[in-house]
Amino acid sequence: MSHSDTIPLHQSSQSDIDEIENLINASVQTSSSTVLPARPPSPPRASIPVSSSPFIQSNLPPLPPKSTSQKPPTVFPAPPPLPASSNARSDTSPTGFGSGPNTLTEPVWDTVKRDLSRIVNNLKLVVFPNPFREDPGKALRDWDLWGPFFFIVFLGLTLSWSASVKKSEVFAVAFALLAAGAVILTLNVLLLGGHIIFFQSLSLLGYCLFPLDIGALICMLKDNVVVKIVVVCVTLAWSSWAAYPFMSAAVNPRRKALALYPVFLMYVSVGFLIIAID
């Protein structure tokens, strides 16, 4: 088939093509006749001033000057000084509460007198009859360890002086027995649920050795077995009586025997040492 040959279109196809051509011509004529209105010009933009200064000038009005007639700040008067006391250092109260006086700059003799006074007061509260024994919490509120240490060392020295041989070994055994026994008895009370301070219990058990110290001293001077037994029994009962209210009040009433029996056993051991040493 050559290019010159043509194929006749169908009548419906020819009508469709004519209709498309008419629509195209009509749209071209309509667009040429319609003129769109011109776009209004845009308003002029404000120009931004460029300044060589690094700070931008503010348009706010300046602040008014401060008034010089301001009210001065209120000054409260200082409290009047306390009147000077006649004593430069107050005495230490045996309550155990609050901070005591500064003892770093006081004379040594004042420190020694204060410690000795405290030992004597605690010894009266623990060993001798007094109204404070009914309330153990008030008796040893100002507890210390100098007194118990002195009574343990004195008892060990007395037993070593009473021994004819091996004096150093006697002192070591006595000191170890008393020191370790006080620690074990205190731990026993605490494990039983006792409401007592550890060092307060050590102080109490040490002060209760005072009657046994007197008994050991008497037995050293009187070399008689009967006298030794009588003295040891009296001093043993005295020491047990001194320790009873404090140790019994520290634990539950149902566990009182468990707390008192080891204390009594330790004092009995010390009494046997006093009698046995010759």
Side-chain angles (χ1 to χ4, degrees), residues 62-139:
L63 297 175
K66 295 182 179 180
S67 177
T68 58
S69 61
Q70 292 183 354
K71 184 178 180 181
T74 304
V75 179
F76 296 97
L82 296 176
S85 178
S86 58
N87 297 328
R89 183 181 60 86
S90 61
D91 296 332
T92 305
S93 60
T95 58
F97 295 99
S99 60
N102 185 11
T103 60
L104 296 177
T105 58
E106 69 177 0
V108 178
W109 178 240
D110 293 344
T111 304
V112 173
K113 288 193 301 183
R114 186 181 66 253
D115 292 339
L116 290 177
S117 175
R118 181 183 301 174
I119 291 173
V120 172
N121 291 332
N122 289 336
L123 188 62
K124 291 179 180 179
L125 293 174
V126 174
V127 178
F128 299 100
N130 59 84
F132 292 101
R133 288 180 58 85
E134 303 299 331
D135 189 1
K138 295 181 180 179

Side-chain angles (χ1 to χ4, degrees), residues 10-219:
H10 194 267
Q11 186 176 1
S12 59
S13 301
Q14 184 65 37
S15 61
D16 292 338
I17 293 173
D18 295 340
E19 185 177 357
I20 291 172
E21 290 180 353
N22 292 334
L23 290 174
I24 292 173
N25 294 332
S27 62
V28 170
Q29 291 176 3
T30 304
S31 62
S32 60
S33 61
T34 303
V35 180
L36 297 175
R39 181 180 178 182
S42 58
R45 296 181 179 179
S47 60
I48 301 175
V50 179
S51 176
S52 59
S53 175
F55 303 99
I56 300 176
Q57 297 181 357
S58 175
N59 296 328
L60 298 176
L63 297 175
K66 295 182 179 180
S67 177
T68 58
S69 61
Q70 292 183 354
K71 184 178 180 181
T74 304
V75 179
F76 296 97
L82 296 176
S85 178
S86 58
N87 297 328
R89 183 181 60 86
S90 61
D91 296 332
T92 305
S93 60
T95 58
F97 295 99
S99 60
N102 185 11
T103 60
L104 296 177
T105 58
E106 69 177 0
V108 178
W109 178 240
D110 293 344
T111 304
V112 173
K113 288 193 301 183
R114 186 181 66 253
D115 292 339
L116 290 177
S117 175
R118 181 183 301 174
I119 291 173
V120 172
N121 291 332
N122 289 336
L123 188 62
K124 291 179 180 179
L125 293 174
V126 174
V127 178
F128 299 100
N130 59 84
F132 292 101
R133 288 180 58 85
E134 303 299 331
D135 189 1
K138 295 181 180 179
L140 272 184
R141 185 173 296 179
D142 191 24
W143 54 269
D144 69 289
L145 296 179
W146 284 114
F149 177 76
F150 172 76
F151 294 137
I152 290 175
V153 172
F154 181 80
L155 183 57
L157 290 175
T158 305
L159 294 177
S160 65
W161 292 335
S162 301
S164 57
V165 293
K166 299 181 179 180
K167 296 180 179 293
S168 60
E169 295 181 4
V170 172
F171 175 80
V173 170
F175 186 85
L177 173 65
L178 296 173
V183 174
I184 293 174
L185 293 178
T186 301
L187 292 177
N188 178 56
V189 173
L190 294 178
L191 292 176
L192 291 175
H195 303 282
I196 192 171
I197 304 174
F198 181 81
F199 293 106
Q200 186 179 14
S201 178
L202 291 180
S203 178
L204 167 67
L205 295 173
Y207 276 109
C208 291
L209 290 174
F210 174 74
L212 291 173
D213 287 352
I214 297 177
L217 183 62
I218 296 174
C219 292

Side-chain angles (χ1 to χ4, degrees), residues 1 22 131 155 177 225 234 268:
M1 182 179 293
N22 292 334
L155 183 57
L177 173 65
V225 178
V234 173
V268 169

